[in-house]
């Protein structure tokens, strides 16, 4: 996903109902764009980067011809959607669709 | 989820179209029931147990009043659904709904 494409997607997602925050981080876990305060961004990125790296390698270890494309973490309060791509990973935090 | 309830759910899920495997593991990551061969079960449990533990603590760290309820890992070849409960975690491996 090219940077301007990511920028467009970022803006479009940020306006969707229920979206509470969006973060784009690079493959080193450095936030490139965020709609959240810095401390919250750091918390999410710190936790999700490690998770995404571990899951990617887990999928690869189970089948080296397979690749992780998406992670959805559902909790009581919200839903975290993680879309890893070649250079960037997009994280969307949203109100769960079904209460 | 009581054991017999888990057993019923286990049997029902195992017959659903697209389901490739189901594993029930306890909170120590020990498989209790599985429809997969032992080596594959061990691989999935070994990888997913650590992931579920890390994700649970990550969600707790971000908000100690929140709790992880579901993880969905989508890869090119399949989808892994992880439903952690108090005593057991159910893992379903299925063909992705949308190709």
């Amino acid at each position: 996903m090219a940077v301007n494409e990511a920028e467009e997607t970022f803006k479009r997602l940020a306006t969707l109902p229920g979206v509470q925050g969006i973060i784009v981080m690079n493959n080193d876990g450095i936030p490139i764009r965020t709609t959240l305060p810095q401390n919250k961004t750091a918390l999410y990125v710190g936790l999700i980067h490690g998770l995404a790296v571990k899951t990617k390698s887990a999928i690869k270890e189970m089948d080296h011809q397979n690749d992780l494309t998406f992670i959805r973490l559902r909790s009581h309060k919200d839903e975290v959607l993680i879309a890893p791509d070649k250079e960037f990973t997009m994280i969307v935090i949203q109100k769960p669709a079904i209460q």
Side-chain angles (χ1 to χ4, degrees), chain A:
Chain A
M1 191 186 285
V3 174
N4 50 354
E5 206 182 316
E7 186 62 24
E8 283 314 312
T9 307
F10 189 87
K11 281 189 193 135
R12 185 169 49 78
L13 288 174
T15 60
L16 291 178
V19 170
Q20 299 172 315
I22 306 179
I23 304 168
V24 175
M25 65 178 179
N26 68 15
N27 283 343
D28 299 322
I30 311 292
I32 307 290
R33 294 281 273 111
T34 181
T35 60
L36 294 174
Q38 220 222 330
N39 59 335
K40 254 204 153 175
T41 299
L43 195 60
Y44 272 109
V45 164
L47 295 168
I48 289 171
H49 176 59
L51 195 69
V53 168
K54 187 175 162 61
T55 309
K56 256 186 212 176
S57 63
I59 299 263
K60 252 315 163 213
E61 202 182 308
M62 285 200 275
D63 177 348
H64 59 80
Q65 290 177 326
N66 198 5
D67 258 316
L68 175 70
T69 55
F70 200 78
I71 301 175
R72 182 183 290 253
L73 306 178
R74 175 71 189 269
S75 64
H76 286 310
K77 293 189 177 180
D78 51 37
E79 214 167 16
V80 181
L81 312 176
I82 304 162
D85 203 352
K86 277 189 211 63
E87 292 172 58
F88 304 101
T89 294
M90 187 169 272
I91 302 165
V92 176
I93 301 107
Q94 66 178 13
K95 274 271 150 243
I98 316 143
Q99 285 308 344

